[in-house]
């Protein structure tokens, strides 16, 4: 039914054009109508994205819903879109999260609400474009473009140190992007094509692969973010408005992991294998060291921000441990490598749900008390019992409680890591202790005990809008935690195809005439 529809273009351009319409209505017109229009556009975009799932053929690794039109013919640059089992779930996560963010800012944002709503709609379309682009230059345009609305969101609706946070955010991401652009242009001159799928077929010597891999690493590691280029994230989260933090954690961090899967592994498999020890080490440091950093935070947003870095360490661990798994004779079938990559993607989606929920809960408290300091709270459960119930559930999910999505992805990566090295699995599993430690520490001090002060005593429980948002997230977390098969099944053929790329050397062969 949907195969003949330009679903990808509709999912990209509907929110962008909708954002223009919201801006045209503006704050001085029908404010309520503007909000309803923004919500309607986000819901329709989400429903369109579901067509990608219902019309998706999970038995093939081929790109689907492909659209290809000449854009800049002189440089062989095309408006080239398509999805596979890796990108399609991430597109749905993007459109799903945007609906919740629009709802969350419904009556909270009083300063320039039309611009606020439009920024998220623009960002939604651009992020979908990143996941759907099959032309390298189109990917780069979407990649850079999505940063502009986030830059504006932090700079206009952010906290007291928003200028510092936006400049730091810009510098980190811009430097990484420049190196990636150089790598993309180099590969164009090597293969006469900006098609990402053609780049997957390029034969490159080891020096070329290493340099291209490092160029990609500077861009994608910053976006994840990996240790030690993670320091921009806590500042950005703390200063960003609640909706900005949700999109940043739930979607933007995933684009780094997606970049490794779409570019680094299939284009530079030999360099990825040679440097896998570096990425694995960085991932394990993020899981362990950053968890200890989270333990000492006094600001709830900073704690969850550092928690995100630790949890995203599982994504990069799952991606780069595949080489050592495949080198292990005991894993001749390759099932461990499949489990590692599928676990990494499930972890990305799960983290999108849970981190988004955690930041929304903090946003609820901040909207009422205008502070994120843990010491300012205590005994919230006595005055906001419904809110506290949701908050504890999300906290347990963040700690990896079995039955929630927070357990599934991490468990898959830990089991897969065991196929490579027992110590990888052991060190990664420490998150089950450390994650529970910093999460329960926050829960105890914020939600339980005696009511801390009159400000806490005056708190009001969730309203109907907030209750609906939290309930939707609970359903999503439980659904993925109890029944991950609908997500895993659609990516299986794509993952097996990716592993075929990874297992084949792309090194050029020098032939010497005798």
């Amino acid at each position: 039914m949907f195969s003949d529809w330009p679903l990808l273009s509709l999912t990209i351009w509907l929110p962008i054009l909708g954002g223009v319409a919201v801006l045209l209505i503006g704050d001085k017109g029908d404010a309520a109508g503007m909000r309803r229009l923004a919500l309607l556009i986000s819901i329709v975009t989400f429903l369109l994205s579901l067509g990608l799932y219902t019309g998706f053929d999970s038995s093939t690794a081929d790109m689907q819903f492909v659209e290809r039109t000449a854009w800049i013919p002189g440089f062989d640059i095309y408006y080239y879109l398509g999805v596979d089992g890796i990108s399609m779930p991430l597109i749905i996560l993007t459109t799903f999260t945007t609906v919740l963010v629009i709802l969350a800012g419904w009556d909270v944002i009083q300063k320039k609400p039309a611009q606020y709503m439009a920024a998220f709609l623009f960002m939604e379309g651009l992020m979908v474009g990143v996941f759907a682009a099959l032309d390298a230059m189109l990917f780069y345009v979407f990649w850079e473009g999505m940063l502009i609305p986030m830059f504006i969101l932090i700079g206009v609706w952010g906290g007291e140190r928003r200028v510092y946070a936006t400049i730091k955010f810009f510098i980190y991401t811009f430097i990484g992007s420049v190196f990636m652009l150089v790598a993309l242009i180099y590969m164009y001159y090597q293969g006469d094509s900006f098609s990402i799928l053609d780049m997957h077929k390029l034969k490159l010597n080891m020096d070329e692969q290493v340099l291209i891999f490092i160029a990609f690493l500077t861009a994608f590691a910053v976006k994840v973010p990996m240790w030690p280029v993670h320091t921009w994230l806590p500042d950005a989260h703390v200063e960003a408005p609640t909706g900005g933090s949700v999109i940043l954690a739930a979607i933007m961090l995933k684009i780094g992991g997606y970049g490794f899967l779409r570019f680094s592994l299939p284009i530079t498999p030999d360099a990825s294998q040679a440097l896998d020890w570096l990425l694995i080490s960085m991932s394990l440091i993020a899981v362990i060291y950053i968890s200890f950093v989270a333990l000492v935070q006094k600001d709830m947003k900073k704690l969850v921000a550092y928690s995100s870095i630790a949890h995203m360490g599982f994504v990069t661990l799952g991606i780069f441990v595949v080489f050592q798994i495949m080198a292990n004779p005991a894993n001749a079938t390759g099932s461990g490598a499949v489990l590692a990559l599928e676990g990494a993607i499930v972890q990305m989606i799960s983290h999108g749900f849970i981190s988004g929920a955690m930041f929304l809960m903090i946003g609820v408290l901040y909207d009422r008390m205008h502070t994120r300091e843990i010491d300012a709270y205590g005994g919230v459960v006595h005055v906001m019992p419904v809110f506290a119930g949701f908050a504890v559930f999300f906290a347990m999910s963040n700690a990896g409680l079995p039955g929630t999505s927070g357990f599934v992805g991490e468990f898959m990566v830990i089991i897969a890591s065991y196929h490579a090295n027992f110590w990888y699995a052991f060190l990664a599993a420490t998150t089950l202790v450390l994650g529970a430690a910093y999460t329960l520490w926050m829960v105890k001090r914020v939600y339980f005990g005696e009511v801390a002060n009159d400000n806490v005593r005056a708190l009001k429980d969730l309203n109907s809008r907030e209750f609906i948002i939290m309930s939707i997230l609970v359903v999503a977390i439980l659904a993925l935690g109890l029944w991950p098969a609908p997500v895993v099944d659609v990516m299986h053929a794509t993952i097996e195809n990716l592993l075929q790329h990874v297992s084949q050397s792309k090194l050029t062969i020098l032939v010497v005439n005798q």
Side-chain angles (χ1 to χ4, degrees):
M1 174 182 176
F2 294 107
S3 58
D4 296 329
W5 289 27
L7 276 181
L8 290 174
S9 286
L10 288 172
T11 309
I12 292 169
W13 296 107
L14 176 61
I16 293 175
L17 295 176
V20 173
V22 168
L23 283 178
L24 291 175
I25 293 175
D27 303 328
K28 297 179 181 179
D30 182 4
M34 175 273 295
R35 289 180 169 88
R36 286 194 292 269
L37 176 61
L39 179 61
L40 176 63
I41 292 167
S42 66
I43 292 173
V44 173
T45 305
F46 172 61
L47 294 176
L48 285 171
S49 71
L50 290 181
L52 298 174
Y53 184 88
T54 58
F56 191 81
D57 182 3
S58 58
S59 65
T60 177
D62 295 338
M63 289 292 171
Q64 301 178 46
F65 300 96
V66 173
E67 303 172 38
R68 194 168 190 264
T69 305
W71 180 24
I72 308 176
F75 291 95
D76 293 322
I77 298 175
Y78 287 81
Y79 177 78
Y80 187 14
L81 305 174
V83 294
D84 59 7
I86 295 173
S87 55
M88 185 266 291
L90 294 172
I91 290 175
I92 295 176
L93 176 65
T94 302
T95 59
F96 170 80
T97 306
T98 303
V99 175
L100 301 184
V101 167
I102 295 292
L103 269 175
W106 192 263
D107 54 12
V108 174
I109 301 299
Q110 298 299 320
K111 175 185 178 182
K112 303 180 184 298
Q115 290 87 336
Y116 181 85
M117 298 293 183
F120 282 108
L121 292 175
F122 288 139
M123 195 155 42
E124 176 184 21
L126 294 168
M127 290 187 298
V128 171
V130 169
F131 293 126
L134 294 180
D135 183 278
M137 292 310 297
L138 182 65
F139 171 87
Y140 185 79
V141 169
F142 284 130
W143 169 279
E144 290 292 279
M146 71 178 180
L147 301 177
I148 298 172
M150 179 58 71
F151 188 88
I152 294 172
L153 280 166
I154 299 174
V156 175
W157 291 275
E160 294 180 358
R161 301 176 71 242
R162 59 185 179 274
V163 174
Y164 168 78
T166 51
I167 292 174
K168 191 172 184 179
F169 171 65
F170 173 79
I171 290 174
Y172 270 75
T173 53
F174 178 76
I175 291 175
S177 298
V178 169
F179 284 105
M180 179 176 71
L181 177 61
V182 172
L184 296 177
I185 293 173
Y186 178 81
M187 287 188 291
Y188 166 73
Y189 282 107
Q190 293 298 110
D192 295 322
S193 174
F194 274 117
S195 167
I196 296 173
L197 300 182
D198 288 342
M199 289 179 176
H200 290 180
K201 303 172 185 177
L202 277 179
K203 293 291 185 179
L204 300 165
N205 64 45
M206 195 62 174
D207 289 340
E208 290 173 317
Q209 286 198 37
V210 168
L211 290 173
I212 292 171
F213 178 86
I214 292 173
F216 286 147
L217 179 62
T218 58
F220 303 144
V222 167
K223 194 72 71 183
V224 170
M226 300 183 71
W227 175 92
V229 290
H230 65 281
T231 57
W232 65 269
L233 183 66
D235 292 314
H237 270 309
V238 168
E239 301 306 322
T242 298
S245 291
V246 173
I247 290 295
L248 187 59
I251 311 300
M252 281 199 168
L253 305 191
K254 312 306 176 293
I255 292 173
Y258 173 77
F260 283 127
L261 293 169
R262 181 65 75 217
F263 290 89
S264 301
L265 261 62
I267 294 176
T268 60
D270 303 281
S272 298
Q273 182 175 12
L275 296 172
D276 64 349
W277 61 271
L278 175 62
L279 277 296
I280 291 171
S281 300
M282 292 166 66
S283 301
L284 291 173
I285 290 173
V287 171
I288 300 170
Y289 165 69
I290 300 299
S291 293
F292 280 109
V293 174
L295 270 170
V296 300
Q297 297 306 310
K298 298 179 180 179
D299 183 300
M300 286 186 285
K301 254 194 174 184
K302 270 198 172 182
L303 188 150
V304 178
Y306 281 111
S307 167
S308 293
I309 299 168
H311 288 303
M312 287 301 292
F314 276 90
V315 174
T316 49
L317 175 63
I319 291 172
F320 285 96
V321 80
V322 296
F323 297 100
Q324 296 190 27
I325 293 174
M326 291 189 296
N328 188 343
N331 190 54
T333 63
S335 59
V338 172
L339 186 66
L341 291 180
E342 290 180 348
I345 299 172
V346 170
Q347 175 68 0
M348 283 197 278
I349 297 168
S350 168
H351 182 261
F353 294 149
I354 295 172
S355 64
M358 295 284 284
F359 282 115
L360 285 170
M361 298 305 285
I362 295 170
V364 168
L365 289 177
Y366 183 79
D367 292 338
R368 287 157 169 76
M369 280 185 55
H370 302 289
T371 179
R372 293 181 298 267
E373 292 297 317
I374 294 173
D375 289 342
Y377 295 90
V380 171
V381 68
H382 299 296
V383 293
M384 300 178 71
V386 176
F387 169 84
F390 280 115
V392 171
F393 173 81
F394 295 138
M396 294 299 97
S397 303
N398 193 53
L401 181 71
T404 67
S405 63
F407 174 78
V408 178
E410 292 180 0
F411 183 73
M412 292 171 72
V413 173
I414 291 171
I415 295 300
S417 298
Y418 181 79
H419 289 283
N421 188 301
F422 165 79
W423 290 107
Y424 295 163
F426 176 81
L427 292 172
T430 59
T431 192
L432 301 175
V433 176
L434 297 174
Y438 59 71
T439 304
L440 293 177
W441 177 81
M442 182 179 71
V443 166
K444 175 182 179 295
R445 298 187 64 185
V446 173
Y447 303 117
F448 295 107
E450 298 297 324
V451 177
N453 50 56
D454 290 339
N455 291 330
V456 173
R457 192 170 287 108
L459 290 173
K460 302 295 183 183
D461 214 336
L462 296 178
N463 58 38
S464 57
R465 174 182 55 82
E466 293 165 338
F467 182 85
I468 291 171
I469 295 171
M470 303 309 167
S471 299
I472 292 172
L473 284 165
V474 167
V475 171
I477 291 169
L478 287 175
L480 184 58
L482 296 173
W483 192 35
V487 175
V488 174
D489 289 347
V490 298
M491 68 176 76
H492 192 74
T494 303
I495 293 300
E496 290 189 329
N497 181 65
L498 175 60
L499 286 172
Q500 290 181 6
H501 276 284
V502 169
S503 61
Q504 297 174 1
S505 173
K506 300 294 176 69
L507 294 176
T508 55
I509 301 174
L510 179 64
V511 178
V512 180
N513 294 323
Q514 298 293 332

